[in-house]
Amino acid sequence: MRSWRKAARPQVTPSPNIWHWPELFEIENRAQDATGVLWSALRERCDWAGRDVVDIGCGDGFHLPLFAAEARSVIGVEPHQPLVERARHRVAGTPGVDVRQAPAQQLPLADASADLVHARTAYFFGPGCEPGLAEAERVLRPGGTIAIVDLDAGSSPYGDWMRADAPQVDPAAIESFFQRHDFDSTSVDTLWRFDDRESLEAVLGIEFSAKVAARAARETTGCTLPVRYRLRTRRKPTTLLTP
Ligand SMILES: C[S@@+](CC[C@H](N)C(=O)[O-])C[C@H]1O[C@@H](n2cnc3c(N)ncnc32)[C@H](O)[C@@H]1O
């Protein structure tokens, strides 16, 4: 039996979508950011060409090859063993990419070894992620950037569906948490584009309860979905100049 202490302080945040339906999550990942605005916004804030990248909560490694196309090195960090295996399989044969099993709170990485620490819809959801923020700061080089990409729970329609399933989610509290931690935040309006309606509805089914997924399907037409993200970045200061 799990003790209440352990249950109250989980090391790993369950992600039913990718844990239980990785094939559907792959379809979701392919549909996301169909116009590329999120990648452009990220690149504007922290270009990774020729740099060392860490992707925390990398899941099955969907974004690792995309970073690897230009980065010097890429390390995916993921605590859930089955996803670690899938990520390793995905990047097998891709030079300069490694996948390590660990949570954000205990990065198996050297101090000052990364230029970009990236996390997409993983672990850094607001209050409670301070240990991961401290670890990211430790592994960043001076001048490096942490970039946290997350769904905007305050937006319509996607955020409305999120809050219908999780009324405890407080977008204003999340925003002020990251403000207090000196992040610059910006909204990025993306489009998810699916090959067919069946795929769109199947993905809604892994993101929401049956009731909310049915509502989301009713409120959506065609094969696209507007989804707003928050992109939060913080640059680690370079060495202080002394007089
Ligand atoms: C929704 S998935 C996103 C995966 C990936 N970033 C993507 O966009 O394809 C969230 C991931 O965070 C991972 N995760 C959960 N708890 C974590 C923790 N404490 N530290 C790092 N990652 C964690 C989950 O196992 C899951 O792979």
Side-chain angles (χ1 to χ4, degrees), residues 134-147:
E135 274 294 81
E137 194 73 359
R138 178 182 68 75
V139 306
L140 277 173
R141 297 191 175 107
T145 299
I146 175 172

Side-chain angles (χ1 to χ4, degrees), residues 92-129:
T94 309
V97 189
D98 191 15
V99 180
R100 309 209 180 146
Q101 184 176 4
Q105 304 91 316
Q106 293 162 4
L107 296 177
L109 302 168
D111 295 358
S113 57
D115 302 298
L116 169 60
V117 171
H118 168 266
R120 190 169 300 211
T121 61
Y123 172 76
F124 295 96
F125 299 125
C129 74

